[in-house]
Amino acid sequence: MTDQTETYDGDVTLTGHEDAPVALRDPEDVYLRTDSVAGDLEVCNAEYVFTHQSPGGGAVGDPETVVRGDLEDGYAEPDGVTGDAIVADAEDVFVTAGTAGGDLSVVAPENVYSDDVEPPREADDYDVSLTGWKQSGSASDPDAGVRVSGAHHEVTVEKARTDLDVYVVGHDHEIEITGRSASVSVYLLGYDNTVTVGPYLQSEVIADTGFDNEVVEEPYPVEELIETSKSEAFDRAGFGRRKVTYQVPAESDDWCPNCGEPADAIVARHQMEAFFLLGYPVKTYDQSTNPAKECEHCSRSAFDASLTERERKNVLK
Ligand SMILES: [Zn+2]
């Protein structure tokens, strides 16, 4: 026996005002945030379920409140349901880590992508936090990271200098993080999401639950390993017999022949002794035939992303 039926058109957000158990009937996609359901959660007859909370519970009892109508997407923010919840006949349902305080049960789904993931942070502990459709956000010098749920969000974070969490829920999000000396932990739940991490950051994918998600690590720029280019060295040589050294990008190797690591950027250090005229070597006396090579891992010109600013200063002392 149902006490209340609430009828809506369009998107609906559960905010904790409905008497529980709350049933959301026949929505399109449903995005549930960490701590949004105080009790148990039952998801039945969904086309796709993407979940960071492992299913294993039993069915929820009859609802007190039924939310229905010409529904589009459904959202539940933290404290969105004060007891149990049922999501019935949705298209895609996204269950963020720690959504339900109780158990999750998934009944008769067509497709399930599931991993057991701990929520990395409290729900309000992010520099950028977006819910809904096609929003954009940005942060500079962040403390915690980014979370998005919904679809088509765009987030840019600059000057990351401390370790961050990036938690992406839904589909078609684009997140870009740049900075130095920090590590980015990436949580992916859904599909067609892209997280791009700049060249001086480290990244780790904690969970990739869904399909067609991508984490792009931007390559270390080879120019940064070049202290003196060939043309700079020749220009400085001026006039007379001179010894010059310069670095050029090495032929396309994937592995550094010096340290053996897989490398984005490899340079060759050349030496040359020649008679220079107007910055041009007119007669060469000696030239390195097997130039030393080095990469972003072993070059002393490289910025070591694994060190903090202070450690790096100590290394350079
Ligand atoms: Zn190397």
Side-chain angles (χ1 to χ4, degrees), residues 256 258-261 294-298:
C256 174
N258 184 39
C259 69
E261 292 283 320
E294 59 191 32
C295 73
E296 75 265 29
H297 306 297
C298 60

Side-chain angles (χ1 to χ4, degrees), residues 183-214:
S183 174
V184 181
S185 298
V186 181
Y187 299 73
L188 295 158
L189 181 68
Y191 59 94
D192 286 338
N193 300 298
T194 305
V195 177
T196 305
V197 178
Y200 314 112
L201 295 170
Q202 295 181 318
S203 67
E204 185 183 3
V205 178
I206 307 294
D208 179 0
T209 310
F211 54 91
D212 293 343
N213 297 308
E214 194 177 14

Side-chain angles (χ1 to χ4, degrees), residues 287-304:
Q287 193 167 14
S288 47
T289 50
N290 188 17
K293 292 184 181 171
E294 59 191 32
C295 73
E296 75 265 29
H297 306 297
C298 60
S299 169
R300 57 194 164 83
S301 310
F303 185 91
D304 188 341

Side-chain angles (χ1 to χ4, degrees), residues 18-230:
E18 299 81 8
D19 290 334
V22 179
L24 190 56
R25 294 223 183 276
D26 204 19
E28 292 178 4
D29 297 339
V30 176
Y31 305 91
L32 304 167
R33 284 186 59 186
T34 300
D35 295 331
S36 60
V37 176
D40 296 335
L41 170 64
E42 180 185 330
V43 177
C44 45
N45 298 322
E47 285 182 27
Y48 281 84
V49 178
F50 302 89
T51 178
H52 277 169
Q53 180 166 359
S54 290
V60 169
D62 287 340
E64 286 286 322
T65 309
V66 176
V67 177
R68 64 197 317 161
D70 190 8
L71 298 184
E72 291 178 6
D73 294 336
Y75 299 92
E77 294 291 285
D79 304 319
V81 179
T82 56
D84 297 342
I86 301 160
V87 175
D89 305 320
E91 290 176 14
D92 300 347
V93 180
F94 301 87
V95 181
T96 308
T99 286
D103 293 329
L104 168 67
S105 70
V106 176
V107 181
E110 290 185 28
N111 302 278
V112 180
Y113 293 87
S114 174
D115 284 302
D116 193 14
V117 175
E118 286 293 313
R121 290 179 185 274
E122 298 290 320
D124 57 1
D125 186 26
Y126 288 92
D127 299 282
V128 179
S129 183
L130 299 177
T131 300
W133 175 267
K134 214 168 193 173
Q135 298 174 30
S136 60
S138 63
S140 188
D141 199 9
D143 297 316
V146 174
R147 64 143 291 273
V148 295
S149 65
H152 294 280
H153 295 319
E154 283 185 19
V155 178
T156 307
V157 173
E158 298 173 326
K159 296 185 180 162
R161 287 175 187 277
T162 187
D163 292 351
L164 301 178
D165 293 310
V166 173
Y167 203 141
V168 179
V169 177
H171 62 94
D172 293 289
H173 300 302
E174 304 250 354
I175 317 287
E176 191 177 329
I177 314 283
T178 54
R180 288 181 181 274
S181 305
S183 174
V184 181
S185 298
V186 181
Y187 299 73
L188 295 158
L189 181 68
Y191 59 94
D192 286 338
N193 300 298
T194 305
V195 177
T196 305
V197 178
Y200 314 112
L201 295 170
Q202 295 181 318
S203 67
E204 185 183 3
V205 178
I206 307 294
D208 179 0
T209 310
F211 54 91
D212 293 343
N213 297 308
E214 194 177 14
V215 175
V216 179
E217 293 180 316
E218 288 187 330
Y220 196 100
V222 70
E223 310 81 56
E224 302 240 335
L225 299 184
I226 294 177
E227 292 158 37
T228 310
S229 70
K230 189 174 182 177

